[in-house]
Amino acid sequence: EVQLVQSGAEVKKPGESLKISCKGSGYSFTSYWIGWVRQMPGKGLEWMGIIYPGDSDTRYSPSFQGQVTISADKSISTAYLQWSSLKASDTAMYYCVRNRVEMNNYYFDYWGQGTLVTVSS
Amino acid sequence: SYELTQPPSVSVSPGQTARITCSGDALPKQYAYWYQQKPGQAPVLVIYKDSERPSGIPERFSGSSSGTTVTLTISGVQAEDEADYYCQSADSSGTFHVVFGGGTKLTVL
């Protein structure tokens, strides 16, 4: 059974750093892209970026380029999303997703349970 | 930047048919995908490649495409189908430019 299990909720102050994780199981972790999707409170879904754990090829949405860093450790089948300096506007639920890529078509067939990040002074 | 447009809300009575549309200029060239999100839960893929249904998704969910518009149809709507529905696609530039529609709240009256 494919599973993406994310790390727990976080409460941080503006300016602090943060790294959240997503552990994949039940499939070949290095053979599928893993991505991150943001959902701000009461709002819709936003694609942030993806990484191919097999070779660490990483792509970002223009909206998130330079704002976050996506990485992966294939030895432990885990992907990460990190911030160096959080802002209040980073408050959101973050989902990791298994990203299927087929002939320039991209979609998400499995989702993690979400990690709620709250940034408040 | 590329956008997908959905109606903010759709309402139907139980047993009726709900249709949720999604419009985008690249949809004739790119597949569309649909996700269902119930309150407090992660989204779930309900339609892929315009009209394919993943295993485990009830047959009452179907998808279709015509020109720049794709449609998610839920036949014989049940109370449990009340949720937010998001379409998703990508622009046709060949880069990883994934886009979601704004979402449609389906209310079962």
Side-chain angles (χ1 to χ4, degrees):
Chain A
E1 178 196 7
V2 174
Q3 284 193 310
L4 298 173
V5 178
Q6 299 183 228
S7 50
E10 302 274 1
V11 179
K12 292 288 191 179
K13 291 182 167 36
E16 292 187 330
S17 62
L18 176 63
K19 191 174 189 178
I20 62 175
S21 66
C22 168
K23 183 173 176 61
S25 62
Y27 72 100
S28 174
F29 186 74
T30 55
S31 300
Y32 291 83
W33 293 82
I34 283 272
W36 292 91
V37 173
R38 183 175 80 173
Q39 188 168 37
M40 300 176 76
K43 301 297 183 183
L45 305 172
E46 301 172 272
W47 179 76
M48 302 176 71
I50 53 174
I51 186 166
Y52 190 74
D55 62 6
S56 294
D57 186 5
T58 309
R59 313 293 176 93
Y60 293 92
S61 161
S63 299
F64 292 94
Q65 180 83 47
Q67 308 305 307
V68 297
T69 301
I70 295 171
S71 59
D73 184 342
K74 61 185 179 183
S75 69
I76 55 172
S77 300
T78 300
Y80 302 96
L81 178 66
Q82 69 180 89
W83 296 259
S84 59
S85 181
L86 286 160
K87 305 186 266 291
S89 57
D90 292 318
T91 294
M93 182 71 81
Y94 293 88
Y95 294 101
C96 74
V97 290
R98 194 175 78 165
N99 196 147
R100 302 295 297 272
V101 179
E102 298 174 355
M103 297 289 289
N104 291 336
N105 285 281
Y106 318 102
Y107 66 102
F108 316 112
D109 58 353
Y110 287 94
W111 294 64
Q113 83 275 20
T115 295
L116 181 63
V117 174
T118 303
V119 184
S120 174
S121 54
Chain B
S1 61
Y2 184 48
E3 293 184 355
L4 296 174
T5 302
Q6 298 180 234
S9 62
V10 168
S11 299
V12 295
S13 298
Q16 290 190 328
T17 296
R19 293 181 180 85
I20 300 172
T21 59
C22 172
S23 300
D25 289 341
L27 290 177
K29 301 178 213 169
Q30 297 287 118
Y31 285 125
Y33 306 85
W34 290 94
Y35 303 88
Q36 175 195 65
Q37 186 180 33
K38 296 181 179 180
Q41 297 184 20
V44 172
L45 180 69
V46 294
I47 294 289
Y48 67 101
K49 292 184 183 177
D50 290 347
S51 59
E52 301 293 320
R53 198 173 50 249
S55 61
I57 301 301
E59 289 184 10
R60 63 180 182 273
F61 289 86
S62 63
S64 61
S65 175
S66 179
T68 59
T69 299
V70 293
T71 302
L72 172 68
T73 300
I74 310 171
S75 305
V77 166
Q78 301 180 7
E80 67 198 50
D81 299 330
E82 184 163 289
D84 293 323
Y85 291 86
Y86 295 91
C87 64
Q88 175 257 308
S89 187
D91 69 21
S92 53
S93 65
T95 57
F96 285 82
H97 284 171
V98 173
V99 179
F100 287 98
T104 298
K105 169 68 177 176
L106 175 66
T107 299
V108 181
L109 300 170

